[in-house]
């Protein structure tokens, strides 16, 4: 029997991360929050904020922590969107991410930190090409969900 906190398996296990697709609705534009990666893999490429969960951390706590560490944003209401787990999405090994979405009003102030060298709002119609991991797909799915929200429909109609 293994001691508490020690994990020993005879087969490989996938890594689990959380990501935050956060939108800002202001000035007549919808924007998606992205961070520029400070480290490999994909150093210098844009991605949605996120990272690895701790062994004793709930998913909701992990995504809020990663969002704050990488962008300085706190208190964002986040809702689970879906999981992404295409084999090969992370060159470090088998990795599955659970993506959350949220909306903030007004251009919230950002402060890049942890493994993000920059944090910036991008117009959802002008996202950078060739994002890190599979974040092009993450962004497409999150934008589709955003456009179905009541908040976005009211915003777009204004």
């Amino acid at each position: 029997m293994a001691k508490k906190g020690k994990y020993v398996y005879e087969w490989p296990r996938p890594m689990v991360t959380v990501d935050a697709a956060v939108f800002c609705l202001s000035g007549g534009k919808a924007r998606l929050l992205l961070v520029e990666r400070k480290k490999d893999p994909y150093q210098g490429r844009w991605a949605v904020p996120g990272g690895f969960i701790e062994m004793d951390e709930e998913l909701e706590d992990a995504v809020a922590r990663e969002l704050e560490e990488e962008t300085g944003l706190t208190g964002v209401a986040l809702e689970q969107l879906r999981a992404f787990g295409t084999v090969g999405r992370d060159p470090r090994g088998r990795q599955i991410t659970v993506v959350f979405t949220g909306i903030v009003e007004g251009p919230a102030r950002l402060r890049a930190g942890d493994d993000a060298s920059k944090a910036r709002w991008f117009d959802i119609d002008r996202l950078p090409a060739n994002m890190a991991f599979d974040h092009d797909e993450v962004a497409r799915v999150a934008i589709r969900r955003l456009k179905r929200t009541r908040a976005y429909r009211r915003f777009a109609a204004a």
Side-chain angles (χ1 to χ4, degrees), residues 53-121:
I53 64 167
E54 302 294 334
M55 292 303 290
D56 61 350
E57 190 174 40
E58 299 297 334
L59 294 173
E60 294 81 2
D61 297 331
V63 72
R65 175 184 53 77
E66 286 289 343
L67 183 61
E68 181 178 6
E69 287 175 0
E70 294 186 356
T71 70
L73 284 184
T74 60
V76 178
L78 296 166
E79 176 181 302
Q80 194 174 123
L81 173 63
R82 66 168 256 207
F84 290 79
T86 302
V87 174
R89 68 181 303 276
D90 189 325
R92 295 169 291 191
R94 181 71 172 112
Q95 193 253 23
I96 297 165
T97 192
V98 179
V99 177
F100 290 76
T101 62
I103 300 173
V104 298
E105 291 187 26
R109 208 169 260 213
L110 304 173
R111 174 191 40 79
D114 194 32
D115 56 354
S117 58
K118 295 178 188 169
R120 185 175 142 204
W121 296 105

Side-chain angles (χ1 to χ4, degrees), residues 94-151:
R94 181 71 172 112
Q95 193 253 23
I96 297 165
T97 192
V98 179
V99 177
F100 290 76
T101 62
I103 300 173
V104 298
E105 291 187 26
R109 208 169 260 213
L110 304 173
R111 174 191 40 79
D114 194 32
D115 56 354
S117 58
K118 295 178 188 169
R120 185 175 142 204
W121 296 105
F122 283 85
D123 185 310
I124 63 170
D125 296 320
R126 291 193 204 108
L127 296 177
N130 203 21
M131 284 193 260
F133 307 103
D134 56 355
H135 289 194
D136 301 273
E137 180 186 0
V138 169
R140 277 193 301 279
V141 171
I143 290 167
R144 268 198 312 269
R145 168 72 64 87
L146 170 72
K147 289 182 176 181
R148 291 194 314 256
T149 66
R150 203 173 325 191

